[in-house]
Structure formats: structure tokens, C-alpha cells
Amino acid sequence: MTTAPIFIAGQWKQSASSPTFTAFNPTTGQTLPQTFPISAWSDIDATLTAAHNAFHALHALPRQQIANFLTDYADRLDAAKDAIAAIAHQETGLAVAPRLADSELPRTTNQLRQAAGAALDGSWALPTIDTKFNIRSCLAPIGPVFVMGPNNFPLAYNAISGGDFAAAIAVGNPVIAKAHPAHPATTQLLAQHAVAAAQAAQLPPGTIQLIYHMSNEDGLRLVADPRLGATGFTGSRRGGLALKAAADAAGKPIYLEMSSINPVILLPGALAERPDAIADEYTNSALGTAGQFCTKPGITILLAGPATESFISAVQQRFAARPLHPLLTQDVRRSLAAGIQTWQSAGAQLLIGGAPAAGPACCFANTLLRVSAERFLQNSRALQTEAFGNAALLIVADSPDQAAAVVETLEGNLTGSIYSAITGDDDPLYARLEPLLRHRVGRLLNDKMPTGVTVSPAMNHGGPYPATGHPHFTAVGVPAALRRFTQLQCFDHVRPHRLPPLLQDANPMNAWRFIDNRWTTEPLPHGDGHRPAAVSGGPR
């Protein structure tokens, strides 16, 4: 079978490299037949040159043209829903319905359409005008963006259809997409629709490009290349930190979403009030899609007592009864086993599971462990190891003081949840623990499990290190997600006709203006933006 082509500079072509790889069907345990190239630096160099050449042409296009591409692309994906879901299921084992066809694909196209709206309205650019000194600033595209998607979301986080892709394109950056090796055929199909939409919108060649795989060394070289503007990465902490070191050394921005154990705190009043409902919610969240969500509740903190022991028993029964779901790859299964072993070596007690399941499918037994808060505090680093998959760790504290100490040892996470009594009986304890948790998570939830990330302008899918590389940014939510792939540009006393359109006085878009020592979005009085400053800001 012919090796799949890559897409460079507006053309599908065979890679200049000879090494190849194949994907894996986790449901059957068999290797899939199609081969994909592992690109050498010559391929990568060509994509960088093409993206660099496309950048200024893309930035100069009318916003409507970029919005048309994103909207048309979303329409094409919706029309091809069945074919996309089928190939993604084959490569990942994720259910065609409702997961892929009815949930993840609609989320993907929703993101693309929201990005199209942001491309039109320009609100992501934060235009700011200081009339006193005639200084204006706004965010602008940063340059070609390299995007690497994860294994667990083949559509919504895919490097050529997901949130990072949509955000980078919407602000006017070309994208170099690298497929995840767990689902290359899915990425190839998505790319075919992206190419058709880009050609229909007459985007410059080099606006979107696709390679499937590369060596680790070439990946480090790519994120540091002078022609690159920024990188978006979703994946493991180990891989993310290696890329970050290379990008940081070259002064290149890189936005990372890495490991997260998403602590859940179950307060005594809540467990006494609604134990069965919480046990159901917890089981569904921890084991949904075999626990392969970045927001899966990896650890749970409880206060010792009869209600807690009853809850643990109920969850154990639910874990035992829950049918197994395939893990994405054999590497995921090996990593899950290693993470569980790390927990056990650090003092956690195995309650159920703990081993790969028999049969051809890439499954692992549903696994639940517990550990005392005292032991957790002695080995907090090891017991915060992410066990990506269908495994969870329960931490039982003897007192509120001990629970607070556990929360204070937590690393940065994407999410943190607290369940409390509806009656308010837990409010004093909530008031003590919430400030400690709030500082350590990007998104705080009440009485709700963390799995599921709504695509909302108010969403923060980010968090303190090591959940991400920077606590200020979100990977989900328009327009905030777009601002990762921008640079701040300032215009000091620049002639009016030379300003970007959104900083010109005639632009109907509301810019923030500093007038008479106050910030406002009121329109400028005629001529105010043109008058020279009477006082210089002075050297700095």
C-alpha cells in the first residue's frame, strides 16, 4: 500500500523520508494496514518556508475571507460526519455514537464557527487608544503556528481541526499541523476537507499544512525555529516540558496543556445527604471513555467516617460492575499500569483492579485505590502521578486540618471540584478549603464532576503549572483562546492612514480609549485621535 501523502505549500506530495509507521485498532488489538511517513527535516523545513511565505499574505486578507474558510470547513465536516466518525472509531475505539458523531464532532464544528465569528468581529485584538499621547495598540497575528494534538480527542483537539487550529487561523496565522500517531487516518480525512475549504476561500498556499510524525529531535528543532511564531501542544508532561525547554531557549512562545489529576473534595454533609447520586456521578466521571479525559477526577479527598466508608464501598461495587472500554493505545495501557504501580509503591492500597484485562482489546481492569492522608503527605509527589485511564485514588483524611494540608500540597491542575451539603452544613469547611483549592486550579466546580468542557467565552481550560505552561491562558473559549497566538503591537504617533483599520478613528468597532484620565469605549470626538501630543511620555 502506498504511503499516505503529506500536504505542503498547497500540494499533496510524498514525503522525502522513507521511515513509516502504522496506527492500531484498540478494539481488535490489530495493526491497521495504511502506512504514514515519519518526516525528516527536509519535509519540516519545507513547511516552515511555505508557512513563513504565507504569513503576510494571510494577514492582509479581509477578515471575511478567513471567516468563510472556517465556516465552510465546519459545514464540510458536518456533511461528512458518518465517514469521520467511522475512521476515528477504528483508530481510537471511541464510540461512534454518542461520543464521536453526536458529541465531539458537533463540538469541533461549533469551535470552528465561533472562531469564524471572532475573526469577523476582531474583539480578540483588544484595540486600545490613548488620545492624550496619540498612542494606539492592539494584538496582531504572531506568525506560523505549529500545532500538536493529543491522543484522546481525535476531532475536537486534532491538530488540523481542533481549538488550537481554529484559534491560530482566526487571528491570521498559518498552521503547521502534526497528526497524532494514534489517529493519522482520521487526521488525513479532516485535512482533505480543510484543504478543500481553504482552496474555495482562496487562502494562500502554506496557510494549512500537514505532516504525520517526526523524530523527537526534529520536534525540538521545529519549536525553536526562527520562522515559527508559536506552538500549541496538548499531551504528556514529559513531552511538553522537553518542548518547552527548547522553545524557551529560543525565545519562542509555546502553550502547553499537560497532566492534571483534577482533585475532587467530597465533604461529609454531601455524602450523608445524597450518597448514591454522588457515587453514580463519580463513577461515570472517573470511568467514562475508560477515564481518558484530561479532566478525569484522578484523586478524591474525603473525611473519615461511616458515610465515607459506605461511599467507598458503593464506588467499589460500581467499578466492578462497569463494562470495560478500550484504552487508546498499548502505550496508554503500559503508562496506566506504571502509574498505578507508582501509587502502590508510595503506600496506596489496591481495592479493585490493577491489571490489564484479558482478550484482544486494549483494556485495563477498572481500578480503585485508597490511601490515608498521612501517607499521602509523606509521599505527595509520587501520589500525584497522573494515571491516565480508568483508575482513581481516594485519599481519606482524619480531620479538616489534615484535609487542608493535603490540598496545600497539590500541584497546579486544570480543575478542582467540591461537593457540599445543600442544607449548608458543610459551609464552614467549604470556606476553609475553597481558598486553598482555588489557587491551585484553573476551573473551580461546585457539586459537579470536572469531565466535560463547555465551549463558552467564560471557560478556562487551563491552570497553574504543571497542568499548563502558563496560568494566564486557556485552550478553550473564544475570544480568549485566540490571544495565545498573537503579539502586542504599539503605534506611537503613526499617521492615521497608516494605522491598522481597527485602530483608525473611522472604525465602527469599539476600542478602549483613554480620554480625560478615564477609560471608555465612547466614540472619539472628531479629530481627537489626530492631534499631536502636547507632552511626551519620555524615554524609558
Side-chain angles (χ1 to χ4, degrees), residues 7 9 179 320-321 345 417 444 469 477:
F7 189 71
S345 297
S417 306
L444 177 72

Side-chain angles (χ1 to χ4, degrees), residues 53-428:
N53 292 338
F55 173 57
H56 293 292
L58 182 64
H59 184 30
L61 290 182
R63 294 177 186 169
Q64 185 68 58
Q65 204 165 334
I66 294 175
N68 288 347
F69 159 70
L70 291 165
T71 302
D72 183 30
Y73 184 22
D75 292 344
R76 291 171 188 268
L77 295 186
D78 281 339
K81 176 179 73 172
D82 292 342
I84 293 169
I87 191 65
H89 166 71
Q90 185 180 52
E91 290 188 317
T92 66
L94 300 174
V96 169
R99 166 64 194 265
L100 293 167
D102 303 326
S103 178
E104 190 174 341
L105 185 62
R107 171 180 167 173
T108 304
T109 55
N110 178 32
Q111 289 174 162
L112 291 167
R113 293 187 177 99
Q114 287 192 24
L120 282 176
D121 70 35
S123 59
W124 56 268
L126 299 178
T128 305
I129 298 172
D130 183 337
T131 58
K132 180 178 180 180
F133 296 112
N134 194 18
I135 298 174
R136 302 155 190 251
S137 68
C138 63
L139 298 176
I142 197 169
V145 175
F146 176 43
V147 178
M148 291 170 280
N151 57 7
N152 59 336
F153 278 86
L155 311 179
Y157 279 82
N158 193 291
I160 206 159
S161 66
D164 284 358
F165 171 86
I169 290 287
V171 300
N173 297 304
V175 169
I176 300 169
K178 189 193 87 67
H180 193 283
H183 41 74
T186 303
T187 306
Q188 180 186 29
L189 180 56
L190 295 170
Q192 290 168 354
H193 292 292
V195 168
Q199 291 173 343
Q202 297 183 323
L203 299 186
T207 297
I208 57 171
Q209 300 181 89
L210 172 66
I211 52 181
Y212 297 98
H213 208 0
M214 65 183 71
S215 69
N216 291 341
E217 293 75 16
D218 283 339
L220 299 177
R221 183 178 177 184
L222 171 52
V223 299
D225 193 278
R227 291 165 289 182
L228 195 70
T231 296
F233 168 86
T234 306
S236 71
R237 186 189 303 190
R238 180 180 178 184
L241 292 183
L243 291 165
K244 185 178 189 300
D248 286 350
K252 291 292 179 180
I254 183 166
Y255 300 100
L256 308 165
E257 182 193 322
M258 300 181 287
S259 61
S260 181
I261 56 174
N262 307 298
V264 173
I265 302 173
L266 302 178
L267 298 182
L271 289 183
E273 192 176 73
R274 52 192 195 279
D276 290 337
I278 296 176
D280 287 339
E281 290 175 34
Y282 179 77
T283 301
N284 291 336
S285 186
L287 299 184
T289 316
Q292 296 171 112
F293 286 98
C294 50
T295 51
K296 180 201 79 173
I299 66 167
T300 300
I301 303 167
L302 309 102
L303 273 293
T308 288
E309 293 305 320
S310 178
F311 174 79
I312 292 173
S313 177
V315 169
Q316 186 173 336
Q317 293 171 18
R318 285 163 169 78
F319 271 48
R322 184 81 170 224
L324 300 183
H325 186 285
L327 295 169
L328 293 161
T329 66
Q330 292 167 323
D331 282 344
V332 170
R333 184 161 66 176
R334 284 190 287 267
S335 178
L336 176 58
I340 293 167
Q341 181 58 53
T342 297
W343 286 352
Q344 289 182 278
S345 297
Q349 173 193 354
L350 183 68
L351 300 179
I352 187 173
C362 187
C363 292
F364 199 93
N366 296 329
T367 300
L368 186 68
L369 301 92
R370 69 179 289 170
V371 68
S372 69
E374 181 181 8
R375 194 65 179 264
F376 181 89
L377 293 169
Q378 293 170 352
N379 298 283
S380 63
R381 183 163 186 170
L383 289 166
Q384 289 185 75
T385 298
E386 182 185 33
F388 182 75
N390 51 325
L393 176 64
L394 306 174
I395 304 167
V396 182
D398 291 332
S399 66
D401 287 347
Q402 210 173 48
V406 168
V407 175
E408 287 188 300
T409 67
L410 295 178
E411 297 179 325
N413 282 277
L414 296 173
T415 72
S417 306
I418 304 179
Y419 276 70
S420 60
I422 297 171
T423 60
D425 291 350
D426 290 323
D427 285 4

